[in-house]
Amino acid sequence: MNSHAVALPNVERCRAFWSREEVDRPLLATWVGSFEVTRLYPRGLAHLPEGELTPGDINFESFRQDYEVLFEKHLQASVDVPWSAFPLMVLPWVEAIAGCRIVHREGNIWAEPWLDSYDRFEGSRGLEPRMDWLAKLVEFTDWLVALSDGRFPVAVSLMRGPADVLAAVRGAQNSVLDLMDNPRAVVPVLERVTDIWVQVADAQLSHIPPFAGGYGWSVQNLWAEEPGGWFQDDAIAYWSPSLYRTCAVPHESRLSRCMARTGCHLHSTAIFTADELLKMPDLGVIEMNLDVVGKSIPEMIPTFQRILETSRLYVWGNFTVDDLVAMKENLPAKGLALQLMGETPEAVRAMIDHVDRIWQG
């Protein structure tokens, strides 16, 4: 491994993306490795105990080689945006800080619900953050900064939003039924988990130094001259548009302005939220996954066009040549970013070549 190499952003292209300038092709980022995220950390996960995890079970050093491999693979397929390291993607940090038991079985890690009655929440602040898990997250961030040693940016962890954390603490099915049966009880919980989300983001950002004069973003890699990151609410896929507008939008709107720059991650099952997100003036970019099961690129093009009329769009996927051609023919490059996915650096470099050829044609 090249331990002294540095992955730098293409500052000019990144600035053009944020400024929504006319450009010759979209901004390009990469994802190299398995789409099954547990396979990204094989050495570290092998050292975790089975059963309930505590903060003391997370040994950063056991993940050192996993992070070095990820850095090296992305270095071999770097384009405009460098890979950012961030605390362990497979661990649900916000859910842990919101009081969920965290369980590990054979590399899979999940949060277990605990809010069996809203009576436990009423009459007090209710959800008090688990400071031991928050301290461990900050320590992980500090460890990554030291590991980077100026070679790559460090970013905030993957952080699920208010609807996702509600589903974690209450249970996925109960959280949806509660919106219909007892919405007045749900609203204070959503408000409180939003408070916790902002606290968790601020705690990490205060420990992340600038990189190349700016800051990296995690998972869906971006680089900006101001600090920022993504929020996401995958559980919205089970909500109706009206429930989303009344119960989730106020809290997501708060997240959209809680950092200098923000973006929202979506799957196609929640594509209906895009129009509401576009009404949030402080939201900088909307990201859409091209999933194995879900809407295709041609099916999403009309929504992509609406987004790009006034905002920025980031599309994440293992694109076919036809996908790339469809985006080239129907979308402006201005304000558009693509994250090219592949199992190996060679596969991603081949996709980079396709992008260059298609946008030059």
Side-chain angles (χ1 to χ4, degrees):
M1 292 185 184
N2 190 347
S3 61
H4 301 292
V6 178
L8 294 173
N10 185 323
V11 175
E12 182 178 351
R13 283 196 178 274
C14 290
R15 284 174 175 167
F17 169 77
W18 287 111
S19 300
R20 300 184 67 242
E21 297 174 10
E22 296 290 349
V23 288
D24 60 336
R25 65 160 173 79
L27 184 74
L28 298 181
T30 59
W31 171 286
V32 185
S34 174
F35 307 153
E36 298 177 33
V37 294
T38 57
R39 291 173 55 194
L40 302 178
Y41 311 101
R43 296 159 187 84
L45 291 176
H47 287 86
L48 285 181
E50 297 281 297
E52 182 176 0
L53 296 178
T54 68
D57 294 321
I58 311 301
N59 181 348
F60 311 138
E61 284 297 323
S62 65
F63 292 93
R64 177 181 290 271
Q65 189 173 0
D66 293 324
Y67 279 95
E68 291 288 2
V69 168
L70 286 169
F71 170 57
E72 180 67 24
K73 286 182 176 180
H74 285 84
L75 193 64
Q76 294 176 38
S78 61
V79 199
D80 304 323
V81 182
W83 171 80
S84 292
F86 56 98
L88 197 55
M89 182 177 179
V90 293
L91 203 152
W93 294 99
V94 180
E95 293 90 327
I97 294 165
C100 292
R101 292 176 66 247
I102 305 301
V103 180
H104 170 237
R105 289 278 187 271
E106 298 180 349
N108 296 305
I109 303 176
W110 66 90
E112 294 197 336
W114 62 267
L115 187 63
D116 53 1
S117 169
Y118 288 102
D119 293 340
R120 298 179 61 176
F121 190 84
E122 294 171 357
S124 69
R125 295 188 68 196
L127 288 168
E128 291 296 331
R130 284 276 305 269
M131 299 308 294
D132 54 346
W133 274 112
L134 181 56
K136 178 60 67 170
L137 177 57
V138 171
E139 290 171 19
F140 208 144
T141 304
D142 288 337
W143 180 81
L144 287 171
V145 170
L147 179 68
S148 166
D149 192 26
R151 295 177 296 156
F152 49 81
V154 174
V156 299
S157 62
L158 185 151
M159 296 174 58
R160 296 175 180 89
D164 283 352
V165 180
L166 172 68
V169 301
R170 182 73 175 123
Q173 178 173 296
N174 284 335
S175 70
V176 176
L177 295 175
D178 294 341
L179 290 166
M180 303 297 296
D181 299 335
N182 197 7
R184 289 187 178 181
V186 175
V187 169
V189 179
L190 288 170
E191 291 175 348
R192 187 66 185 124
V193 297
T194 303
D195 292 340
I196 291 173
W197 199 102
V198 174
Q199 180 181 1
V200 173
D202 288 346
Q204 293 174 85
L205 286 173
S206 68
H207 285 250
I208 294 174
F211 177 85
Y215 297 85
W217 291 26
S218 62
V219 190
Q220 292 80 19
N221 291 321
L222 267 179
W223 182 92
E225 291 175 291
E226 297 175 289
W230 306 98
F231 63 88
Q232 66 179 75
D233 267 326
D234 293 348
I236 293 296
Y238 302 103
W239 294 30
S240 69
S242 61
L243 285 173
Y244 172 70
R245 286 191 297 271
T246 57
C247 297
V249 164
H251 309 294
E252 291 191 345
S253 181
R254 181 182 171 195
L255 295 187
S256 76
R257 58 182 184 272
C258 75
M259 293 180 279
R261 289 195 181 273
T262 57
C264 182
H265 154 80
L266 297 176
H267 294 273
S268 66
T269 49
I271 198 170
F272 67 88
T273 66
D275 290 326
E276 291 297 327
L277 292 169
L278 286 171
K279 298 175 184 177
M280 301 178 190
D282 297 300
L283 183 66
V285 54
I286 296 174
E287 182 271 329
M288 185 69 69
N289 272 33
L290 173 62
D291 296 314
V292 175
V293 177
K295 291 183 180 293
S296 66
I297 289 293
E299 289 173 319
M300 293 190 284
I301 287 288
T303 302
F304 291 173
Q305 291 171 332
R306 291 201 304 278
I307 293 170
L308 287 169
E309 287 175 2
T310 57
S311 188
R312 302 164 197 86
L313 172 69
Y314 188 110
V315 190
W316 188 93
N318 183 12
F319 305 116
T320 65
V321 171
D322 287 344
D323 291 333
L324 296 171
V325 169
M327 287 188 282
K328 167 64 168 62
E329 293 180 347
N330 293 282
L331 303 176
K334 179 178 72 174
L336 177 62
L338 305 178
Q339 187 167 30
L340 312 176
M341 301 177 61
E343 292 273 354
T344 65
E346 293 76 17
V348 175
R349 287 201 300 268
M351 199 177 301
I352 295 169
D353 291 341
H354 288 315
V355 170
D356 287 339
R357 187 181 69 257
I358 290 167
W359 261 267
Q360 288 173 1

